[in-house]
Amino acid sequence: MSRLQVVSGKGGTGKTTVAAALALALATEGKRTLLVEVEGRQGIAQVFETEALPYEERKIAVAPGGGEVFALAIDAERALLDYLQMFYKLGSAGRALKKLGAIDFATTIAPGVRDVLLTGKACEAVRRREKQGGFTYDYVVMDAPPTGRITRFLNVNDEVAGLARIGPIHNQAQAVMRFLKSPDTAVHLVTLLEEMPVQETADGIAELRDAELPVGAVIVNMVRPHVLDEDAVRAAAGDHRAGIAKTLASVGVAGGTRLVDPLLEQAAEHAQRVALEREQRAVLAGLDVPAYELPFLGEGADIAGLYRLAKELRKLGVGA
């Protein structure tokens, strides 16, 4: 099982919610999971309904069976200070550079530096060990940038390695890329059963494969139940209109006759959506990637909803 689970997806597909639920699922039965975000949006704090995350690893949830979920909002400037201390022992000199604005310059202007710091910090958390020898975290889940940027974000270490051909930066970039391209990493893409998210997912998978980055699974989020199919709608719209009106009247619905047409319109819309979803499932099936479906939460993705999704992910075996 991959110990670094990267979650990406088109905006609006619920990738942060899925990443949070996956962290809970992986922490089941006494495991420890670190959930990290790299975009500075404080999305994890919002999902878990807690205060903004600082640049430190903080426990935010307990999973079924006593496992723990920690969270970290990775800040590129702080990560660079850590990096300077780790490799160059700058200490207070690094803080002085921050005051002079050099840190901000390096993380916003220098090509690829920001992303290599973010991915490098996540990889460091995966490899970190306790004094007793065991890993600090069993799994690290990264709430990554959207699908359109995920390959460049993960592959930027190659660019940095090309710019710095010797020294600690080169070695760090090479080590990170070896880890990201190994079986220890899996990149999952979250989508909806809609044309644009599915197409972006297909494009993202192709880009990841071209970059030799490991594709994990497609997670189809917010799947609504199918109430009627086309045959049921056609039957209702045909010879059974009078029967529908009679049934409505029999259960005490006033003005049932006037409701038949609006109900049939809604049923037709539902049947059309079912047909479109069937088409998108066929597209996903052709990608040769495991696909899993999560239900639409009518009550919203609150804490209870997160645990429900985590339970579903465990049942489906996502991340295994």
Side-chain angles (χ1 to χ4, degrees):
M1 181 183 294
S2 302
R3 295 187 56 246
L4 175 60
Q5 308 264 332
V6 180
V7 180
S8 181
K10 180 177 170 57
T13 60
K15 73 176 179 66
T16 298
T17 299
V18 172
L22 180 59
L24 276 170
L26 292 172
T28 301
E29 302 303 334
K31 302 294 185 181
R32 286 165 57 94
T33 301
L34 176 65
L35 175 61
V36 302
E37 69 171 33
V38 296
E39 296 184 277
R41 297 185 297 107
Q42 289 292 336
I44 293 173
Q46 295 174 33
V47 169
F48 280 97
E49 301 174 8
T50 187
E51 61 186 20
L53 297 174
Y55 183 68
E56 63 182 40
E57 293 158 21
R58 171 181 295 179
K59 187 167 75 171
I60 58 171
V62 177
E68 297 175 318
V69 176
F70 290 75
L72 170 67
I74 303 179
D75 176 83
E77 291 187 11
R78 295 287 299 275
L80 181 53
L81 288 174
D82 289 348
Y83 180 86
L84 293 174
Q85 173 61 22
M86 181 182 303
F87 290 104
Y88 297 100
K89 310 300 181 185
L90 289 186
S92 59
R95 291 189 289 275
L97 287 173
K98 177 176 174 62
K99 291 180 180 179
L100 292 172
I103 301 298
D104 180 66
F105 174 83
T107 56
T108 56
I109 304 300
V113 168
R114 182 180 182 87
D115 289 349
V116 75
L117 290 168
L118 298 173
T119 54
K121 184 67 177 178
C123 289
E124 180 275 326
V126 177
R127 295 190 295 254
R128 191 189 313 154
R129 291 181 179 272
E130 301 291 272
K131 291 181 179 179
Q132 297 81 359
F135 287 112
T136 301
Y137 297 105
D138 296 288
Y139 304 100
V140 173
V141 178
M142 179 192 292
D143 179 20
T147 313
R149 295 198 296 114
I150 186 61
T151 300
R152 184 175 181 183
F153 172 77
L154 294 176
N155 206 39
V156 74
N157 297 281
D158 268 350
E159 298 179 25
V160 174
L163 292 171
R165 301 195 179 277
I166 60 173
I169 295 178
H170 171 83
N171 295 337
Q172 168 78 351
Q174 288 292 309
V176 169
M177 279 315 306
R178 283 194 297 271
F179 191 89
L180 292 178
K181 291 186 176 183
S182 76
D184 284 325
T185 299
V187 184
H188 308 301
L189 299 182
V190 182
T191 187
L192 305 178
L193 286 175
E194 298 173 5
E195 185 174 358
M196 288 186 63
V198 168
Q199 184 58 56
E200 189 164 313
T201 298
D203 294 341
I205 289 172
E207 292 175 1
L208 288 167
R209 285 171 169 166
D210 287 344
E212 298 181 349
L213 289 162
V215 179
V218 171
I219 302 173
V220 184
N221 196 23
M222 294 186 272
V223 177
R224 297 174 181 269
H226 292 171
V227 180
L228 298 173
D229 59 18
E230 297 97 321
D231 291 338
V233 174
R234 283 194 294 269
D239 299 332
H240 301 283
R241 297 174 64 87
I244 294 174
K246 183 177 180 180
T247 300
L248 291 172
S250 69
V251 295
V253 178
T257 302
R258 295 194 303 272
L259 293 176
V260 172
D261 285 338
L263 286 173
L264 288 176
E265 289 177 7
Q266 291 187 25
E269 291 175 0
H270 176 80
Q272 184 179 31
R273 178 170 63 82
V274 170
L276 291 173
E277 290 178 351
R278 186 182 300 116
E279 293 175 2
Q280 299 311 312
R281 281 192 178 92
V283 174
L284 293 175
L287 299 178
D288 194 27
V289 174
Y292 306 95
E293 297 189 2
L294 292 177
F296 173 76
L297 301 179
E299 66 277 12
D302 55 9
I303 294 296
L306 273 184
Y307 278 88
R308 179 184 170 190
L309 292 178
K311 182 178 180 180
E312 189 67 23
L313 287 169
R314 290 197 305 274
K315 183 170 68 176
L316 294 170
V318 179

